[in-house]
Amino acid sequence: MTDRTIPNWSLALPLAALLALPAACQRREALPGAADAATLQSVAMLLERGHISHHPVDDEVSRQAFDALFDGLDPLRLFLLRADVDRYLPLRERLDDELRAGDLRFADDVMALLARRKREAMELALEQLESPVDFTVDESIPLDGRSVPFAASREELAERWRLRVKLDRLGLAASGVPEADVVPRLERRYWRMAERHDDPEQAVTAFVGAITGVYDPHTVYLAPRTAEDFAMQIRLDYEGIGAVLGDEDGRPVVQKLIEGGSAAASGQLQEGDLILAVGADDEAALEPVDGMELHDIVDRIRGPRGTRVRLQVATAGAEPRVLVLERRRTELVDQMAKGEVVEAGEGPRIGWIDLPGFYAAPDGTRSATVDVARILREFQAEDVAAVVLDLRHNGGGLLSEAVSLTGLFLEGGNVVRVQETGGRTHRLDDPDPTALWTGPLVVLTSRMSASASEILAGAIQDEGRGLVVGDSTTFGKGSVQVVLDLAAHAPKWRAQPRGALKLTTQQFFRPGGASTQRHGVAADIVLPAWTEAAIEGEAGLPHALPFRALSPLPVPASQPARDPALVGSLRERSRERVAAAPDLEAVLAANRERERLRAAGRIPLSRDGYAAWRAAMSSAPDEPSAGAVDAYRHEVTEIAADYARALRGHATAP
């Protein structure tokens, strides 16, 4: 995950919304103009009637959306001139009116202007590729493009592109791209930058997204294709060949093979293979994909289970070959709960559960709760002394799953309270007075733990059930969204709206009364991790909802699992071990350096300066050192073992 981002799921989603998604995923080809108008009007209606803020779509929203639109279309300030933006200033308070009227003329005009400016920018970039570059000069480029104004002239844009091309050269070279391939790769990148303007959804998505973003960061318009992908992520299955594709400067490359998919099972396709052409079935001619958008390539490869697809692929250093693969239903097993038993040195055995998300299939055959319950029963058979529930990479998921899964560790009691748009508050309690696991529990979190993860962590703390260990606090998202098929929630327009709206309709509150909004869930024991410095959290997002609190609910009078003296003792023992672990101390030093460089706000463009900056800023997120990973994991198991020994006699596993 890159800096300053929202976790991958980042929502607590009611199950009913999941069941409504298939209709949202239908693509309607008839009357696209009328359908777009209906889409805008439906969004306006749902925002005013359903968003938790009850804020009307008015001139205030329009002003903020106007600024957000241009910020989003040119965040690096490499395309538009100040005069371009000023030209539209008379319309700054008209976007609300155009949304209600279903009028896309403003958005279409802006997108057409952006397309022209990108073609002009491509020419500037290609000119720079032909010029010699001095990588010894001490110069830099802003880390955040939004920190500078739009360029006042074409000459100023040209200078910005000189610096940008220099940065792109340095980036590819540092990534291991051979020197002879750097310029051809960048040429393809800049040509693609200028060509990507044929998607009819772009204007709708940009215009509507600018307005919905004013309400809060998680209220989002989902175009039909995006809605499909979202439903797949919640279900954790799809029909295709089981391969993840990425765009490498305009070339579709296999980034990952999914376990259980036909691509992995065949042994014919490899990570790093380049896709050259696709044949939709046995009979269809191979269609070259050069210049095609990645999502269009994916659409051609996906298809109903039992059908076949032909691919022409190339592996580095080999002649192109044609593969025939059968499409099948593939479960995204790498995103499902997994468990293992780890040894804490000479101490007790620890059960470790990695839970990437709160998921469920619509038919109930697969869910996070079912999978974690199975793992807990296996742990009981293995006679583990404590359980670590790892939510460090869990960005959220289904609200119903957060409640039911938390209940596996509670003997009744409140999990969360939700307050609806109209102010009505209701409790979501654990209905089962028994718990599947009553032994020592450590919930492992990070800045990436969001939404449903924060519901679980907050309930475990407030109900006195276990410890929270990890980053100083979680992401800080305390809101609930529903995903609404626009066609199912719209009046009978002459044409049906397309896509879906992910709409914030509730805020949730911990049993103790506090919301996790902006504040997150604070860890009882903080450990050094790259995520502490790399991810800012909800509080740093534009238009994040404010923190709120309710009156606390009664909590158990006796909480041996969270006795302050016990927690303080565990914290102190952990602090001593961390201070004696060089790999963890190195993480702390790297975080301090990353914060210093971020505060400086510049990227150096000399070869040596850039190499040092890149090493400091990007070494941890993608490839933390093996020593740091092992030291972190070891420290967590030591905390869990200490916790189990301290609680022995207070609570045992059934």
Side-chain angles (χ1 to χ4, degrees):
M1 178 175 288
T2 56
D3 291 3
R4 307 305 197 246
T5 56
I6 304 174
N8 203 24
W9 290 24
S10 189
L11 61 106
L13 178 71
L15 182 59
L18 170 66
L19 301 179
L21 273 176
C25 296
Q26 297 174 6
R27 297 180 191 164
R28 304 170 177 85
E29 302 300 334
L31 300 173
D36 289 342
T39 298
L40 269 60
Q41 292 170 322
S42 295
V43 169
M45 177 192 69
L46 290 170
L47 284 174
E48 293 192 323
R49 295 182 182 180
H51 191 269
I52 191 170
S53 68
H54 277 305
H55 197 291
V57 181
D58 58 11
D59 289 351
E60 178 188 348
V61 169
S62 180
R63 288 190 294 271
Q64 296 182 58
F66 180 94
D67 297 341
L69 176 66
F70 288 101
D71 273 351
L73 292 177
D74 190 9
L76 298 180
R77 306 298 194 254
L78 291 172
F79 306 121
L80 298 173
L81 298 171
R82 178 71 254 174
D84 292 331
V85 180
D86 290 346
R87 163 187 166 190
Y88 294 104
L89 282 176
L91 301 177
R92 193 164 179 256
E93 295 185 353
R94 293 285 304 279
L95 272 61
D96 55 323
D97 303 315
E98 300 208 0
L99 186 73
R100 284 200 191 86
D103 190 343
L104 265 179
R105 285 176 296 178
F106 163 74
D108 286 337
D109 194 66
V110 170
M111 297 305 293
L113 171 65
L114 181 66
R116 293 195 302 272
R117 292 293 185 248
K118 284 192 172 182
R119 288 191 290 270
E120 294 168 1
M122 176 196 69
E123 295 172 358
L124 294 175
L126 294 178
E127 288 174 8
Q128 292 300 325
L129 283 178
E130 298 175 356
S131 304
V133 182
D134 185 350
F135 291 110
T136 65
V137 177
D138 184 14
E139 57 186 355
S140 63
I141 194 170
L143 178 61
D144 180 6
R146 291 182 176 91
S147 65
V148 299
F150 291 99
S153 65
R154 181 177 172 83
E155 290 72 27
E156 188 175 348
L157 270 183
E159 173 60 13
R160 291 184 184 185
W161 271 105
R162 183 186 71 80
L163 298 176
R164 180 68 203 187
V165 171
K166 190 174 183 181
L167 175 65
D168 290 345
R169 284 177 180 264
L170 288 166
L172 286 183
S175 299
V177 175
E179 184 176 355
D181 293 341
V182 168
V183 169
R185 284 274 295 271
L186 290 179
E187 286 177 341
R188 285 196 302 272
R189 179 184 300 183
Y190 301 145
W191 274 104
R192 293 282 289 167
M193 172 188 74
E195 291 172 351
R196 291 179 172 176
H197 300 286
D198 58 353
D199 185 351
E201 296 286 350
Q202 283 185 336
V204 176
T205 301
F207 180 65
V208 176
I211 293 174
T212 59
V214 173
Y215 281 78
D216 74 275
H218 310 286
T219 291
V220 179
Y221 168 69
L222 306 175
R225 182 182 283 110
T226 307
E228 289 181 25
D229 292 340
F230 182 84
M232 181 185 72
Q233 187 181 37
I234 293 291
R235 294 193 310 267
L236 291 190
D237 71 44
Y238 82 109
E239 294 181 359
I241 64 171
V244 178
L245 302 187
D247 187 315
E248 187 180 90
D249 293 322
R251 304 184 306 171
V253 175
V254 178
Q255 289 187 334
K256 182 180 180 181
L257 299 180
I258 299 172
E259 181 183 346
S262 59
S266 73
Q268 301 179 76
L269 197 63
Q270 305 173 31
E271 293 180 6
D273 279 354
L274 180 66
I275 307 296
L276 302 176
V278 178
D281 52 46
D282 289 340
E283 305 298 328
L286 286 169
E287 180 183 6
V289 299
D290 185 42
M292 193 180 294
E293 291 286 351
L294 186 64
H295 55 70
D296 289 327
I297 300 171
V298 171
D299 284 347
R300 285 162 170 76
I301 296 175
R302 286 180 186 170
R305 72 183 76 178
T307 61
R308 300 204 295 182
V309 62
R310 290 191 301 150
L311 302 177
Q312 184 183 49
V313 303
T315 301
E319 290 294 317
R321 62 193 188 280
V322 176
L323 317 177
V324 180
L325 297 172
E326 181 176 322
R327 301 177 176 105
R328 64 172 67 166
R329 178 177 177 271
T330 303
E331 291 187 323
L332 305 179
V333 295
D334 61 334
Q335 297 179 38
M336 296 177 182
K338 299 176 183 63
E340 64 174 314
V341 177
V342 297
E343 307 287 344
E346 299 297 323
R349 310 177 81 207
I350 308 299
W352 193 298
I353 301 174
D354 181 17
L355 183 65
F358 292 86
Y359 53 86
D363 60 4
T365 57
R366 166 76 72 176
S367 75
T369 302
V370 169
D371 290 345
V372 170
R374 170 183 50 79
I375 294 170
L376 288 173
R377 293 188 184 98
E378 293 171 356
F379 286 170
Q380 291 168 0
E382 294 277 352
D383 195 29
V384 302
V387 167
V388 174
L389 181 60
D390 190 345
L391 304 179
R392 284 177 296 166
H393 301 94
N394 188 320
L398 296 172
L399 174 61
S400 57
E401 281 299 305
V403 174
S404 60
L405 199 150
T406 304
L408 299 176
F409 304 100
L410 299 181
E411 295 175 322
N414 179 244
V415 175
V416 67
R417 283 177 287 174
V418 294
Q419 190 169 76
E420 298 178 347
T421 304
R424 185 165 62 97
T425 301
H426 57 95
R427 296 175 52 148
L428 297 177
D429 292 347
D430 172 24
D432 189 347
T434 63
L436 185 56
W437 177 260
T438 60
L441 173 65
V442 173
V443 178
L444 192 57
T445 61
S446 76
R447 287 278 189 170
M448 296 170 65
S449 306
S451 200
S453 290
E454 296 172 291
I455 289 175
L456 185 148
I460 293 302
Q461 273 190 340
D462 289 357
E463 294 290 349
R465 184 58 192 84
L467 295 179
V468 175
V469 174
D471 290 358
S472 60
T473 188
T474 54
F475 186 80
K477 178 180 176 294
S479 57
V480 180
Q481 287 71 42
V482 293
V483 179
L484 304 173
D485 175 10
L486 293 180
H489 291 82
K492 295 181 179 179
W493 308 106
R494 288 176 297 175
Q496 290 288 289
R498 296 180 294 190
L501 180 66
K502 182 157 68 77
L503 181 67
T504 298
T505 59
Q506 298 173 325
Q507 245 183 297
F508 61 78
F509 300 85
R510 297 168 51 164
S515 171
T516 62
Q517 181 64 22
R518 291 181 176 254
H519 292 190
V521 178
D524 299 300
I525 300 175
V526 177
L527 296 181
W530 68 267
T531 46
E532 187 75 68
I535 299 171
E536 188 174 41
E538 180 88 0
L541 297 178
H543 309 294
L545 295 173
F547 171 82
R548 295 174 54 237
L550 301 176
S551 299
L553 296 174
V555 296
S558 176
Q559 298 184 353
R562 292 192 54 77
D563 176 74
L566 168 62
V567 175
S569 174
L570 294 172
R571 185 184 299 120
E572 184 56 33
R573 294 191 64 180
S574 175
R575 186 181 294 116
E576 292 173 357
R577 287 190 297 264
V578 167
D583 288 312
L584 294 181
E585 284 294 300
V587 172
L588 289 173
N591 283 350
R592 288 191 293 269
E593 177 64 7
R594 191 173 292 110
E595 289 289 1
R596 185 189 70 79
L597 292 173
R598 183 178 293 115
R602 308 289 297 185
I603 305 174
L605 295 179
S606 67
R607 194 181 304 278
D608 292 342
Y610 177 78
W613 182 90
R614 181 184 173 98
M617 292 296 288
S618 63
S619 60
D622 297 323
E623 297 182 11
S625 71
V629 171
D630 291 344
Y632 189 99
R633 189 176 178 88
H634 174 74
E635 178 54 29
V636 174
T637 58
E638 288 294 324
I639 292 171
D642 283 352
Y643 194 34
R645 284 187 286 262
L647 289 179
R648 191 171 293 144
H650 288 288
T652 58

